[in-house]
Amino acid sequence: MIYFNIPPFTGKETEYITQAIQNHKISGDGTFTHKCNEWIEQKTGTAKALLTTSCTHATEMAALLAGIRPGDEVIMPSYTFVSTADAFVLRGATVVFVDIRPDTMNIDETLIEDAITDKTRAIVPVHYAGVSCEMDTIMDIARRHNLLVIEDAAQGVLSDYKGQALGSIGDYGCFSFHETKNYSMGEGGCLLIKDKDHIEMAEIIREKGTNRSKFFRGEIDKYTWVEAGSSYLPSDMNAAYLWAQLEMADVIFDDRMRSWKTYYELLSPLQDSGRLILPTIPEGCGHNAHMFYIKAKDLEERTALIRHLRANDIASVFHYIPLHNAPAGKKLGRFHGEDRFTTVESERLTRLPLYYGLEPDTVEMICEKICEFYR
Ligand SMILES: *Cc1c(COP(=O)(O)O)cnc(C)c1O
C-alpha cells in the first residue's frame, strides 16, 4: 500500500524528546519551544514567532488580537479548511466567501474589493498548496480600506512571495505543524506577529490572559491575570519533535521538491495533450512542495481516477468541500458574488502521495498508473 502521507521523522526526534524529559520541562515554553520560535523568526524575518497547539489556535489568537467582534465581517476563500473560518465565527464574526482563481486555487484578489462593506475588518488569504496568494494586491486593498491581513499559511512554511516568507507579510501569519504538513510536531502550529507592539498582548493571550511570560523573563516580580486569554502553549516534548525537523528543514524541503518535480515532469505530457491540469506556480512565488495535485475533467472522471489508483494500492485524496456549501457555512457565512470556480474546480482536484522519504521509484510508478488510466 502506498500511503497518502507518512508523518516526517528525521531520526533525532526521540533523542530530543528524551532531553526535554531530562530537562524536567514537559510543559510549554521550554528550551525546544524557544529554539523553534527563534528559528522561525530568523527564517521568516518576522518580529515574533510563538509556537501554538495548532494552526487553528494560532488563527484564534490572531482573531483575538485583531479584536474581531460580533457583527464584524471577514473575507476569505470558501475553498479552504474549516479552521480558517472557525477562528472568526467563534468571535461572532460573519465570514464572507469570495471565489478562487482556477490556476492556483487561491482567493481571486480581483474580487476582494467588491466584497468589502463597512463591517469588514480583515482579509484572510489562504496560501493553498504552499503557493502564495497575490499579496501585493491584497496588502494594497487592506491598506486603502484600513483592514487587517491574517495569512493562513498552514501549508506555506518556507514558501515565499517575491522573496518575503509567507506568514510574515500580513499583520499575522499562521503556520501548521500537524502531521500532514511539511514539518511536524504531531499537533501544533505557530503565530507570526509582524508588529512588535502586538507581541506583549499575544504572549498574554497565549498564557491564559496572564503576564507570566514577562515574569519568566524576570521583567516583573509576580504575575497576574491582566486580560481575557486561553492556553495555546504546546508541550516542550512536541516542540522537541519539531526541532529535529527544523534542524533538517533543507533536507526535508529538497526531498519533497524532488518528488514534486518528478510528478510534474512525468505528468506534463498528459497536461500537454489536454487530459489533465497540473499546478501553476505564478512568477515570483517560491513554493515548498507541500502538495502535488492534479485536476481531472470533472467529478466523474476524478472518482474513476481515485478508484483506479486505489485498485493499484495507491491512496489519493480529495478536499475541500467548499465551506459555503457546508451546513455551518450556510449558517455563519455568505458567498459574495458568483461561484464560478470554487465548487467546480474543487470537484476536479485529487492530491497524490507526497511525504518526506517518498521513493523516486514510487513516484514513477504512480505516474505510470495515472498514464495508464488516461490510455
Ligand atoms: C492544516 C490546515 C489548517 C489547520 O491546521 P491545524 O494545525 O491542524 O490546526 C488550517 N488551514 C489550512 C489551509 C490547513 O491546510
Side-chain angles (χ1 to χ4, degrees), residues 3-110:
Y3 294 102
F4 169 69
N5 178 60
I6 295 178
F9 182 80
T10 63
K12 284 274 191 84
E13 287 83 350
T14 322
E15 182 189 325
Y16 290 163
I17 291 170
T18 306
Q19 272 182 34
I21 296 165
Q22 286 166 348
N23 291 344
H24 304 298
K25 191 64 187 170
I26 59 172
S27 67
D29 274 343
T31 321
F32 287 104
T33 305
H34 289 299
K35 275 177 189 266
C36 292
N37 290 347
E38 278 162 29
W39 189 94
I40 295 164
E41 284 158 17
Q42 198 243 319
K43 281 281 174 185
T44 62
T46 196
K48 187 72 197 167
L50 292 170
L51 279 198
T52 57
T53 29
S54 65
C55 178
T56 308
H57 280 167
T59 316
E60 281 183 33
M61 283 185 67
L64 284 162
L65 285 160
I68 301 294
R69 290 153 33 118
D72 290 348
E73 292 181 356
V74 178
I75 296 172
M76 63 181 65
S78 170
Y79 185 70
T80 183
F81 189 54
V82 293
S83 303
T84 320
D86 268 327
F88 299 95
V89 300
L90 275 175
R91 306 255 59 79
T94 299
V95 281
V96 176
F97 301 115
V98 164
D99 209 8
I100 53 167
R101 304 162 34 148
D103 61 346
T104 55
M105 305 297 282
N106 282 335
I107 191 166
D108 185 337
E109 69 281 358
T110 65

Side-chain angles (χ1 to χ4, degrees), residues 53-57 59 80-84 126-128 152-155 175-178 180-181 187-189 290 319-320:
T53 29
S54 65
C55 178
T56 308
H57 280 167
T59 316
T80 183
F81 189 54
V82 293
S83 303
T84 320
V126 179
H127 305 298
Y128 185 68
D152 182 336
Q155 304 178 5
F175 282 171
S176 175
F177 298 120
H178 185 260
T180 53
K181 301 304 200 283
E187 297 277 0
H290 172 60
H319 72 173
Y320 303 106

Side-chain angles (χ1 to χ4, degrees), residues 236-254:
D236 214 49
M237 292 190 292
N238 293 59
Y241 191 100
L242 180 64
W243 180 244
Q245 321 238 314
L246 297 184
E247 267 193 338
M248 286 183 56
D250 292 346
V251 176
I252 295 175
F253 189 101
D254 293 347

